[in-house]
Amino acid sequence: MIVTLTANPSLDRTVELGGPLERGEVQRAVSVRQESGGKGVNVSRALKASGLDTLAVLPGDPADPVLAGLEATGVPFAALKIGAPLRSNVALTEPDGVTTKVNEPGPELSEELQEQLLELLVERARGASWVVLAGSVPPGVPAGFYATAAERIRTDPSLDGAAPKVAVDSSGAPLAASLKGKPELLKPNADELSELAAMVGMHDAGTPAELEASPERAAKAARALVEAGVGAVLATLGSKGAVLVTAEGAWHATHSPIRAVSTVGAGDSSLAGYLLADLSGADAEGRLRQAVAHGAAAASLPGSTVPAVNQTNPSAVTVTALVTKD
C-alpha cells in the first residue's frame, strides 16, 4: 500500500492548442480535458492504473468536483471536509509539447484543519510501505508542514518502529523545509535541485540548464542532499532523463526519443514508476529505469493522463552508472 498526501489538490483542466500560444490573441482550443489532480493525487492515479493498492489523502468536501472525479475513476481516497471549494488549475499545451500552467492558490486551511489533516494522514498511513507528501501547500499552511507530517508518521506509537518510508515531491519553501524531515526519497526537478544543493552548502552546484546538460553535475548536486541526510534523490531532468543518487551509487537514465504531447504530471508519473519498481523488489537501476519509462509514457499522453505500467517501455531506457565523488 502506498498512501499519498495532497495538501492542495486541484481540478486540472488541460487545453490543447492547435498552434503556438499567442499572448493577447484569441485562440480556439483543439480539445479540453479535465481530471482530478495535484501531485499526490496524480501519483495515486498512476499507481491505481497499474493495479497497486493506494490511498489518496486530501482535503475536500463530499460534493467537490475533485472528489467526484476520484470516485468516478475508482481511485480510493480519504478526504477531510473543509467547508470550501478546492482550486482549479489550467494548463495550455502547444503542438510541440510546450506547456503553460496557471495554478490557483487554493483554499486557506486553519490550524485546526491542518491538525485534522495530519491526524487523518497518520491514521491511514498505518500499514503502508510508502507515504508520499506531494505538491504545494495551501494558504495558511506553514512551509514546514511536510517535515511535520514525516515526524508524525515516524513517531506514531501504534507503528511500533515499523513506520512507512517517506517520499517528498514539492517545490519552493515546502520542499526546502522538508529536508529537516530527512525523507527516504526526494524528487526534485533541475530547478529545485539547484536551489536545494545551494541550501546545503554546495554553492557551485550549477544552474538548472547546466544540471540538465550534465548528468554528472546533477548527480553531484544530488549527492550533497544525500550527505545532508536524504535517503535517495530522484532528480528529473526533462528531456535529458533523470539521475538517481543513493548512499551506494549514482545512475543516469535516458529514454529513446518520444513525441511529447503534454508534460503535465510527467514528474508525478516518474515518482509512481519508481515506487512501483521499489515494491516489486527492483534494485536502484531498475527503479530508475521504471521511473524514466513512466515519465516518458506520461509525456506522450494528452493532458494529465497517467500511464499504466503496461503502457511504459522500460527496454527503451538506457541506464549508466556515474561517478560523483572526487
Side-chain angles (χ1 to χ4, degrees):
M1 165 73 80
I2 295 177
V3 174
T4 66
L5 171 65
T6 307
N8 202 13
S10 58
L11 187 66
D12 289 346
R13 299 182 70 243
T14 303
V15 179
E16 181 184 354
L17 301 176
L21 177 65
E22 300 178 19
R23 294 181 61 197
E25 300 296 328
V26 174
Q27 292 179 260
R28 298 190 182 278
V30 174
S31 67
V32 178
R33 298 177 64 89
Q34 181 170 287
E35 287 123 350
S36 300
K39 284 184 172 295
V41 166
N42 289 340
V43 171
S44 281
R45 288 172 53 223
L47 293 171
K48 170 66 168 55
S50 295
L52 267 73
D53 288 335
T54 185
L55 179 75
V57 176
L58 69 164
D61 294 350
D64 196 279
V66 174
L67 302 190
L70 290 176
E71 189 168 1
T73 54
V75 177
F77 64 89
L80 174 70
K81 188 174 181 179
I82 60 174
L86 297 173
R87 62 180 179 154
S88 295
N89 294 338
V90 177
L92 304 174
T93 63
E94 301 175 47
D96 61 357
V98 172
T99 302
T100 303
K101 297 188 68 178
V102 180
N103 292 349
E104 295 182 5
E108 184 170 349
L109 295 187
S110 66
E111 290 185 7
E112 181 180 1
L113 289 174
Q114 294 171 39
E115 179 61 28
Q116 291 175 5
L117 186 60
L118 287 173
E119 291 174 355
L120 178 61
L121 173 67
V122 172
E123 175 188 348
R124 295 308 183 98
R126 293 166 187 155
S129 299
W130 282 91
V131 171
V132 178
L133 310 174
S136 63
V137 296
V141 176
F145 187 73
Y146 289 147
T148 300
E151 180 183 4
R152 290 285 191 90
I153 291 166
R154 294 189 179 117
T155 57
D156 179 10
S158 70
L159 293 175
D160 194 25
K165 291 182 279 190
V166 173
V168 177
D169 181 7
S170 187
S171 59
L175 177 61
S178 74
L179 293 177
K180 298 178 182 178
K182 298 187 184 302
E184 280 78 12
L185 177 66
L186 204 65
K187 199 218 73 63
N189 59 26
D191 290 323
E192 295 151 358
L193 179 59
S194 178
E195 293 178 5
L196 290 173
M199 279 187 52
V200 298
M202 187 179 181
H203 301 298
D204 60 345
T207 66
E210 289 171 335
L211 296 182
E212 289 188 354
S214 172
E216 292 82 7
R217 193 162 188 172
K220 285 186 177 181
R223 172 68 63 193
L225 302 181
V226 172
E227 292 173 350
V230 175
V233 176
L234 172 66
T236 50
L237 305 175
S239 63
K240 304 299 182 180
V243 297
L244 173 65
V245 177
T246 71
E248 289 72 40
W251 300 265
H252 175 231
T254 57
H255 196 284
S256 59
I258 63 165
R259 178 182 175 273
V261 176
S262 171
T263 59
V264 178
D268 307 330
S269 289
S270 292
L271 177 53
Y274 180 98
L275 298 176
L276 185 154
D278 179 75
L279 290 190
S280 70
D283 60 11
E285 291 189 35
R287 298 194 299 271
L288 177 59
R289 184 183 303 278
Q290 191 59 54
V292 171
H294 252 78
S300 67
L301 295 173
S304 56
T305 305
V306 295
V309 66
N310 60 8
Q311 293 176 288
T312 70
N313 186 12
S315 63
V317 179
T318 301
V319 181
T320 305
L322 300 173
V323 176
T324 62
K325 295 182 179 180
D326 296 330

